[in-house]
Amino acid sequence: MLNKTIKTLILFFSLNVLVSNYCIADINCIKDFSVEEDRVNCIKQKRDEEKQNMESALRTLYRELEAHGGNYDERIKLYQFYQSQWLKFAKSYCNFQSTDGDADKVPRKFFNCLRSFYKARTNLIFKDIKLLYGEE
């Protein structure tokens, strides 16, 4: 039951942030570039930046879990499993979302969607770090 609740909360939070941030990279890249390939490259770069932020947050979380001692190895393994499941979901969702509409815009939609998911996931990871210290 708890596992299902966590998955539901993660999904809700991720989609909420995704909806509120989805168009930001797309608008900037469309405004700055007139060729679709350049727009896609711009969005890919923004996606990569968000992915690096997420991975940095994960490394911080793992260090903090280790610093708290206890069963940190088990908790890190569980978190790594949840992270892999989350990434599978994000890619599947973005694949689904990017196939709707203009075929020329599929790569742009896909990378922008992933960028938003990475950003949302980074926010969740930082919330988890705060929870380690009893902050909400």
Side-chain angles (χ1 to χ4, degrees):
M1 178 67 174
L2 181 61
N3 211 7
K4 186 176 181 181
T5 303
I6 290 171
K7 286 179 182 178
T8 303
L9 287 173
I10 289 172
L11 176 62
F12 174 77
F13 183 78
S14 295
L15 292 177
N16 186 29
V17 172
L18 181 68
V19 168
S20 64
N21 292 315
Y22 185 75
C23 294
I24 293 170
D26 204 17
I27 290 170
N28 290 338
C29 292
I30 289 171
K31 181 179 71 173
D32 295 342
F33 299 100
S34 59
V35 176
E36 185 65 19
E37 184 179 350
D38 294 336
R39 291 175 177 168
V40 170
N41 288 334
C42 174
I43 292 171
K44 279 171 114 173
Q45 180 182 359
K46 292 180 183 307
R47 178 220 43 195
D48 291 345
E49 290 168 6
E50 289 300 337
K51 184 176 182 182
Q52 288 173 352
N53 290 340
M54 180 189 69
E55 290 171 347
S56 176
L58 276 171
R59 287 190 297 276
T60 300
L61 174 67
Y62 296 154
R63 280 193 306 271
E64 294 301 321
L65 284 170
E66 189 173 0
H68 270 75
N71 60 348
Y72 75 89
D73 281 337
E74 183 179 323
R75 292 185 74 193
I76 289 174
K77 285 179 186 174
L78 278 172
Y79 210 94
Q80 288 171 334
F81 172 75
Y82 294 141
Q83 178 69 12
S84 70
Q85 296 301 305
W86 183 89
L87 286 171
K88 286 179 187 176
F89 167 76
K91 288 178 182 176
S92 295
Y93 179 83
C94 290
N95 275 327
F96 170 75
Q97 288 297 315
S98 65
T99 58
D100 184 31
D102 190 353
D104 292 340
K105 296 179 183 173
V106 167
R108 181 192 333 164
K109 287 175 144 186
F110 178 77
F111 294 127
N112 201 34
C113 178
L114 276 182
R115 181 204 57 83
S116 297
F117 264 95
Y118 291 149
K119 186 173 186 170
R121 185 66 175 137
T122 301
N123 289 335
L124 285 173
I125 293 166
F126 281 121
K127 281 188 172 201
D128 290 343
I129 293 170
K130 286 181 180 181
L131 286 174
L132 285 174
Y133 293 96
E135 299 174 26
E136 292 189 29

